[in-house]
């Protein structure tokens, strides 16, 4: 029998701050931690798999989910919509697994209202110059796209004070240890561990 529902962690970061690097390692290393699978109306990119990277759905289906209250939060970015499925989220949490939601800042603010117990994590780049350098060295974006991403990064960073944890991703190893520590420490919280403590006591 499950003694406790899972914890919800939300992670946001400006593009290029190192969110993918950190989250991929975390999900590989920490047991019983699921990574979010959102609904989206955007088309799959090469290599993306429906039901693994996203649930890829059309506009009509997304409209229906919104109408029936099936999304905990959702946003529209450049005409594409992204949302976190309520049934999916509840289903994972009910198994006792923790969940890591990768959502942008507007959705994160909405999720916080819907789930005040969620732990909000923001990944900071060391500086604006370092962020631009990382975007360039990743080699995925044109100069114009980098300019747009840098503008957008500023808007996202301005919301840092709404997050519970700010991880400075300068030294990757240290940033990763902080990230992992947040998840592991949450698992030791008294309210989560109290049933185990009572069970142990009963054995005396
Ligand atoms: P995001 O998912 O936030 O867009 P990525 O994880 O793709 O960012 O990282 C952007 C680039 O920066 C990648 O080339 C990655 O290898 C590099 N990077 C990530 N963390 C660090 C770090 N601490 N120091 C130097 N480079 C890093
Ligand atoms: P991409 O199209 O590159 O996969 O994702 C674009 C952005 O959408 C990322 O910043 C990602 O964090 C965000 N995103 C993905 N899923 C969701 C979601 O369910 N809700 C919200 N609010 N943002 C999401």
């Amino acid at each position: 029998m499950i003694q406790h529902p899972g914890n919800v962690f939300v992670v946001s970061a400006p593009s290029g701050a190192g969110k993918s690097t950190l989250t991929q390692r975390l999900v590989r290393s920490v047991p019983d931690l699921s990574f979010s699978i959102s609904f989206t109306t955007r088309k799959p990119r090469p290599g993306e798999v429906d039901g693994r990277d996203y649930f890829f759905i059309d506009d009509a289906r997304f409209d229906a989910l919104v109408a029936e209250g099936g999304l905990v939060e959702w946003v529209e970015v450049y005409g594409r919509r992204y949302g976190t499925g309520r049934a999916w989220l509840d289903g994972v949490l009910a198994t006792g697994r923790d969940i890591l939601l990768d959502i942008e800042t507007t959705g994160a603010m909405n999720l916080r209202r819907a789930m005040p117990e969620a732990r909000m994590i923001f990944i900071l780049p060391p500086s604006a110059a370092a962020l631009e350098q990382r975007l360039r060295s990743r080699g995925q974006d044109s100069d114009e796209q980098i300019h747009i991403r840098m503008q957008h990064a500023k808007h996202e960073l301005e919301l840092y004070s709404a997050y519970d944890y700010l991880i400075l991703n300068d030294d990757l190893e240290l940033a990763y240890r902080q990230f992992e520590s947040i998840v592991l420490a949450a698992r030791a919280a008294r309210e989560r561990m109290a049933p185990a403590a009572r069970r142990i006591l009963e054995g005396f």
Side-chain angles (χ1 to χ4, degrees), residues 13-23 102 123 126 131 134-135 137-140 149 168-173 175:
S15 179
K19 185 173 61 175
S20 313
T21 307
L22 289 166
T23 55
D102 167 358
I123 297 167
L131 182 64
R134 282 185 199 168
L135 287 172
S137 62
R138 195 165 64 174
Q140 281 177 4
R149 284 192 194 276
L168 180 70
N169 182 21
D170 187 0
D171 175 334
L172 182 61
E173 211 44 45

Side-chain angles (χ1 to χ4, degrees), residues 19-163:
K19 185 173 61 175
S20 313
T21 307
L22 289 166
T23 55
Q24 281 167 16
R25 180 165 164 197
L26 189 74
V27 170
R28 269 202 315 272
S29 310
V30 174
D32 299 325
L33 178 67
S34 293
F35 191 60
S36 60
I37 309 172
S38 300
F39 289 96
T40 185
T41 59
R42 82 154 165 75
K43 296 279 171 280
R45 296 186 186 123
E48 284 184 333
V49 177
D50 185 44
R52 186 192 69 188
D53 300 292
Y54 281 102
F55 299 113
F56 295 99
I57 59 173
D58 61 16
D59 277 305
R61 179 88 204 288
F62 204 97
D63 288 340
L65 276 173
V66 173
E68 70 196 33
L71 299 175
V72 186
E73 62 75 35
W74 67 275
V75 288
E76 180 162 345
V77 188
Y78 305 120
R80 299 133 154 195
R81 291 182 290 171
Y82 299 86
T84 306
R86 194 180 298 279
W88 174 80
L89 186 63
D90 289 347
V92 176
L93 294 177
T95 66
R97 290 174 70 85
D98 291 346
I99 201 147
L100 185 63
L101 300 172
D102 167 358
I103 56 184
E104 50 65 63
T105 44
T106 308
M109 300 301 103
N110 293 334
L111 189 115
R112 163 148 251 177
R113 275 190 283 278
M115 304 187 93
E117 71 282 12
R119 290 175 166 80
M120 316 283 288
I121 304 167
F122 194 89
I123 297 167
L124 296 165
S127 63
L131 182 64
E132 187 167 342
Q133 180 52 42
R134 282 185 199 168
L135 287 172
R136 287 194 189 287
S137 62
R138 195 165 64 174
Q140 281 177 4
D141 301 296
S142 65
D143 277 358
E144 195 197 333
Q145 279 169 327
I146 287 175
H147 181 71
I148 294 168
R149 284 192 194 276
M150 288 298 291
Q151 293 294 323
H152 191 60
K154 180 166 183 278
H155 293 306
E156 293 190 299
L157 272 157
E158 281 165 352
L159 293 169
Y160 74 86
S161 61
Y163 287 76

